[in-house]
mmCIF file of all heavy atoms in Angstrom:
data_model
loop_
_atom_site.group_PDB
_atom_site.id
_atom_site.type_symbol
_atom_site.label_atom_id
_atom_site.label_comp_id
_atom_site.label_asym_id
_atom_site.label_seq_id
_atom_site.Cartn_x
_atom_site.Cartn_y
_atom_site.Cartn_z
ATOM 1 N N ASN A 99 2.747 6.683 1.978
ATOM 2 C CA ASN A 99 3.409 5.756 1.083
ATOM 3 C C ASN A 99 3.257 6.271 -0.372
ATOM 4 O O ASN A 99 2.193 6.633 -0.793
ATOM 5 C CB ASN A 99 2.731 4.381 1.167
ATOM 6 C CG ASN A 99 2.771 3.822 2.562
ATOM 7 O OD1 ASN A 99 3.836 3.624 3.133
ATOM 8 N ND2 ASN A 99 1.604 3.654 3.164
ATOM 9 N N TYR A 100 4.411 6.272 -1.061
ATOM 10 C CA TYR A 100 4.436 6.622 -2.498
ATOM 11 C C TYR A 100 4.852 5.354 -3.240
ATOM 12 O O TYR A 100 5.949 4.837 -3.018
ATOM 13 C CB TYR A 100 5.460 7.744 -2.740
ATOM 14 C CG TYR A 100 5.107 9.002 -2.004
ATOM 15 C CD1 TYR A 100 5.609 9.250 -0.731
ATOM 16 C CD2 TYR A 100 4.275 9.961 -2.558
ATOM 17 C CE1 TYR A 100 5.275 10.429 -0.031
ATOM 18 C CE2 TYR A 100 3.952 11.128 -1.886
ATOM 19 C CZ TYR A 100 4.467 11.355 -0.634
ATOM 20 O OH TYR A 100 4.132 12.502 0.057
ATOM 21 N N SER A 101 3.983 4.907 -4.139
ATOM 22 C CA SER A 101 4.246 3.646 -4.859
ATOM 23 C C SER A 101 4.298 3.835 -6.361
ATOM 24 O O SER A 101 3.476 4.576 -6.922
ATOM 25 C CB SER A 101 3.144 2.624 -4.543
ATOM 26 O OG SER A 101 3.111 2.349 -3.177
ATOM 27 N N PHE A 102 5.260 3.188 -6.971
ATOM 28 C CA PHE A 102 5.405 3.210 -8.457
ATOM 29 C C PHE A 102 5.578 1.779 -8.921
ATOM 30 O O PHE A 102 6.296 0.991 -8.255
ATOM 31 C CB PHE A 102 6.632 4.039 -8.856
ATOM 32 C CG PHE A 102 6.999 3.834 -10.304
ATOM 33 C CD1 PHE A 102 6.249 4.453 -11.304
ATOM 34 C CD2 PHE A 102 8.076 3.072 -10.663
ATOM 35 C CE1 PHE A 102 6.553 4.280 -12.637
ATOM 36 C CE2 PHE A 102 8.406 2.884 -12.008
ATOM 37 C CZ PHE A 102 7.642 3.479 -12.997
ATOM 38 N N ASP A 103 4.908 1.390 -9.995
ATOM 39 C CA ASP A 103 5.156 0.090 -10.583
ATOM 40 C C ASP A 103 4.989 0.164 -12.100
ATOM 41 O O ASP A 103 4.226 0.979 -12.614
ATOM 42 C CB ASP A 103 4.273 -0.998 -9.986
ATOM 43 C CG ASP A 103 2.853 -0.948 -10.447
ATOM 44 O OD1 ASP A 103 2.085 -0.128 -9.952
ATOM 45 O OD2 ASP A 103 2.521 -1.740 -11.371
ATOM 46 N N VAL A 104 5.724 -0.684 -12.769
ATOM 47 C CA VAL A 104 5.651 -0.849 -14.224
ATOM 48 C C VAL A 104 5.779 -2.315 -14.508
ATOM 49 O O VAL A 104 6.537 -3.036 -13.865
ATOM 50 C CB VAL A 104 6.711 0.005 -14.937
ATOM 51 C CG1 VAL A 104 8.109 -0.421 -14.585
ATOM 52 C CG2 VAL A 104 6.508 0.021 -16.447
ATOM 53 N N ALA A 105 4.967 -2.802 -15.464
ATOM 54 C CA ALA A 105 4.984 -4.262 -15.726
ATOM 55 C C ALA A 105 4.545 -4.530 -17.144
ATOM 56 O O ALA A 105 3.919 -3.713 -17.815
ATOM 57 C CB ALA A 105 4.038 -4.971 -14.752
ATOM 58 N N VAL A 106 4.875 -5.736 -17.575
ATOM 59 C CA VAL A 106 4.425 -6.288 -18.860
ATOM 60 C C VAL A 106 3.648 -7.558 -18.522
ATOM 61 O O VAL A 106 4.159 -8.471 -17.842
ATOM 62 C CB VAL A 106 5.605 -6.610 -19.777
ATOM 63 C CG1 VAL A 106 5.107 -7.313 -21.026
ATOM 64 C CG2 VAL A 106 6.373 -5.347 -20.119
ATOM 65 N N ASP A 107 2.398 -7.644 -18.963
ATOM 66 C CA ASP A 107 1.590 -8.861 -18.816
ATOM 67 C C ASP A 107 1.498 -9.510 -20.226
ATOM 68 O O ASP A 107 1.362 -8.829 -21.236
ATOM 69 C CB ASP A 107 0.167 -8.518 -18.356
ATOM 70 C CG ASP A 107 0.133 -7.817 -17.033
ATOM 71 O OD1 ASP A 107 1.032 -8.085 -16.191
ATOM 72 O OD2 ASP A 107 -0.783 -7.011 -16.794
ATOM 73 N N PHE A 108 1.528 -10.829 -20.236
ATOM 74 C CA PHE A 108 1.478 -11.492 -21.549
ATOM 75 C C PHE A 108 0.720 -12.813 -21.458
ATOM 76 O O PHE A 108 0.604 -13.446 -20.410
ATOM 77 C CB PHE A 108 2.895 -11.749 -22.109
ATOM 78 C CG PHE A 108 3.746 -12.639 -21.219
ATOM 79 C CD1 PHE A 108 3.740 -13.997 -21.358
ATOM 80 C CD2 PHE A 108 4.536 -12.054 -20.227
ATOM 81 C CE1 PHE A 108 4.519 -14.805 -20.543
ATOM 82 C CE2 PHE A 108 5.317 -12.851 -19.420
ATOM 83 C CZ PHE A 108 5.315 -14.219 -19.568
ATOM 84 N N GLY A 109 0.161 -13.175 -22.592
ATOM 85 C CA GLY A 109 -0.477 -14.476 -22.806
ATOM 86 C C GLY A 109 -0.016 -14.953 -24.189
ATOM 87 O O GLY A 109 -0.009 -14.193 -25.153
ATOM 88 N N MET A 110 0.393 -16.240 -24.253
ATOM 89 C CA MET A 110 0.984 -16.722 -25.499
ATOM 90 C C MET A 110 0.400 -18.085 -25.865
ATOM 91 O O MET A 110 -0.079 -18.829 -25.033
ATOM 92 C CB MET A 110 2.500 -16.843 -25.328
ATOM 93 C CG MET A 110 3.172 -15.530 -24.938
ATOM 94 S SD MET A 110 4.901 -15.726 -24.472
ATOM 95 C CE MET A 110 5.635 -16.230 -26.002
ATOM 96 N N PHE A 111 0.501 -18.410 -27.163
ATOM 97 C CA PHE A 111 0.197 -19.729 -27.700
ATOM 98 C C PHE A 111 -1.225 -20.204 -27.325
ATOM 99 O O PHE A 111 -1.420 -21.234 -26.753
ATOM 100 C CB PHE A 111 1.232 -20.774 -27.261
ATOM 101 C CG PHE A 111 2.636 -20.320 -27.454
ATOM 102 C CD1 PHE A 111 3.490 -20.141 -26.340
ATOM 103 C CD2 PHE A 111 3.128 -20.057 -28.711
ATOM 104 C CE1 PHE A 111 4.815 -19.700 -26.539
ATOM 105 C CE2 PHE A 111 4.440 -19.641 -28.913
ATOM 106 C CZ PHE A 111 5.285 -19.474 -27.815
ATOM 107 N N ASP A 112 -2.205 -19.388 -27.683
ATOM 108 C CA ASP A 112 -3.624 -19.671 -27.436
ATOM 109 C C ASP A 112 -3.909 -19.985 -25.962
ATOM 110 O O ASP A 112 -4.609 -20.926 -25.614
ATOM 111 C CB ASP A 112 -4.105 -20.855 -28.302
ATOM 112 C CG ASP A 112 -4.134 -20.507 -29.771
ATOM 113 O OD1 ASP A 112 -4.442 -19.321 -30.079
ATOM 114 O OD2 ASP A 112 -3.860 -21.378 -30.603
ATOM 115 N N GLY A 113 -3.358 -19.170 -25.115
ATOM 116 C CA GLY A 113 -3.626 -19.292 -23.661
ATOM 117 C C GLY A 113 -2.812 -20.352 -22.944
ATOM 118 O O GLY A 113 -3.056 -20.604 -21.781
ATOM 119 N N LYS A 114 -1.868 -20.955 -23.603
ATOM 120 C CA LYS A 114 -1.067 -21.995 -22.942
ATOM 121 C C LYS A 114 -0.112 -21.421 -21.911
ATOM 122 O O LYS A 114 0.093 -21.995 -20.842
ATOM 123 C CB LYS A 114 -0.220 -22.814 -23.972
ATOM 124 C CG LYS A 114 -0.997 -23.835 -24.713
ATOM 125 C CD LYS A 114 -1.357 -24.964 -23.780
ATOM 126 C CE LYS A 114 -1.269 -26.297 -24.454
ATOM 127 N NZ LYS A 114 -1.766 -27.348 -23.563
ATOM 128 N N LEU A 115 0.502 -20.294 -22.227
ATOM 129 C CA LEU A 115 1.493 -19.700 -21.337
ATOM 130 C C LEU A 115 1.081 -18.261 -21.055
ATOM 131 O O LEU A 115 0.751 -17.510 -21.961
ATOM 132 C CB LEU A 115 2.892 -19.702 -21.989
ATOM 133 C CG LEU A 115 4.044 -19.098 -21.181
ATOM 134 C CD1 LEU A 115 4.294 -19.912 -19.933
ATOM 135 C CD2 LEU A 115 5.287 -19.059 -22.053
ATOM 136 N N ALA A 116 1.074 -17.901 -19.780
ATOM 137 C CA ALA A 116 0.712 -16.511 -19.395
ATOM 138 C C ALA A 116 1.610 -16.073 -18.265
ATOM 139 O O ALA A 116 2.145 -16.916 -17.513
ATOM 140 C CB ALA A 116 -0.756 -16.455 -18.968
ATOM 141 N N GLY A 117 1.783 -14.784 -18.126
ATOM 142 C CA GLY A 117 2.604 -14.304 -17.018
ATOM 143 C C GLY A 117 2.706 -12.821 -16.987
ATOM 144 O O GLY A 117 2.052 -12.086 -17.706
ATOM 145 N N SER A 118 3.606 -12.396 -16.119
ATOM 146 C CA SER A 118 3.822 -10.984 -15.895
ATOM 147 C C SER A 118 5.247 -10.764 -15.399
ATOM 148 O O SER A 118 5.786 -11.593 -14.658
ATOM 149 C CB SER A 118 2.827 -10.495 -14.838
ATOM 150 O OG SER A 118 3.026 -9.141 -14.547
ATOM 151 N N PHE A 119 5.839 -9.664 -15.810
ATOM 152 C CA PHE A 119 7.141 -9.263 -15.305
ATOM 153 C C PHE A 119 7.061 -7.801 -14.937
ATOM 154 O O PHE A 119 6.637 -6.955 -15.733
ATOM 155 C CB PHE A 119 8.238 -9.478 -16.361
ATOM 156 C CG PHE A 119 9.596 -9.035 -15.883
ATOM 157 C CD1 PHE A 119 10.302 -9.851 -15.018
ATOM 158 C CD2 PHE A 119 10.128 -7.855 -16.303
ATOM 159 C CE1 PHE A 119 11.567 -9.458 -14.560
ATOM 160 C CE2 PHE A 119 11.397 -7.437 -15.858
ATOM 161 C CZ PHE A 119 12.110 -8.256 -14.977
ATOM 162 N N GLY A 120 7.427 -7.483 -13.712
ATOM 163 C CA GLY A 120 7.243 -6.113 -13.239
ATOM 164 C C GLY A 120 8.335 -5.604 -12.302
ATOM 165 O O GLY A 120 9.076 -6.414 -11.708
ATOM 166 N N TYR A 121 8.380 -4.306 -12.153
ATOM 167 C CA TYR A 121 9.294 -3.619 -11.260
ATOM 168 C C TYR A 121 8.416 -2.749 -10.345
ATOM 169 O O TYR A 121 7.480 -2.099 -10.785
ATOM 170 C CB TYR A 121 10.278 -2.764 -12.021
ATOM 171 C CG TYR A 121 11.063 -1.811 -11.161
ATOM 172 C CD1 TYR A 121 12.127 -2.236 -10.401
ATOM 173 C CD2 TYR A 121 10.673 -0.460 -11.029
ATOM 174 C CE1 TYR A 121 12.840 -1.368 -9.571
ATOM 175 C CE2 TYR A 121 11.352 0.425 -10.211
ATOM 176 C CZ TYR A 121 12.466 -0.058 -9.459
ATOM 177 O OH TYR A 121 13.124 0.809 -8.641
ATOM 178 N N TYR A 122 8.764 -2.707 -9.050
ATOM 179 C CA TYR A 122 8.041 -1.837 -8.119
ATOM 180 C C TYR A 122 9.039 -1.057 -7.244
ATOM 181 O O TYR A 122 10.157 -1.479 -7.015
ATOM 182 C CB TYR A 122 7.075 -2.646 -7.255
ATOM 183 C CG TYR A 122 7.780 -3.597 -6.318
ATOM 184 C CD1 TYR A 122 8.125 -3.208 -5.037
ATOM 185 C CD2 TYR A 122 8.085 -4.898 -6.731
ATOM 186 C CE1 TYR A 122 8.800 -4.066 -4.185
ATOM 187 C CE2 TYR A 122 8.730 -5.770 -5.878
ATOM 188 C CZ TYR A 122 9.064 -5.365 -4.609
ATOM 189 O OH TYR A 122 9.726 -6.226 -3.744
#
Side-chain angles (χ1 to χ4, degrees):
N99 303 298
Y100 298 92
S101 299
F102 168 75
D103 76 280
V104 62
V106 174
D107 301 328
F108 60 90
M110 302 170 67
F111 311 117
D112 292 326
K114 281 290 218 187
L115 180 65
S118 178
F119 179 76
Y121 168 79
Y122 65 91

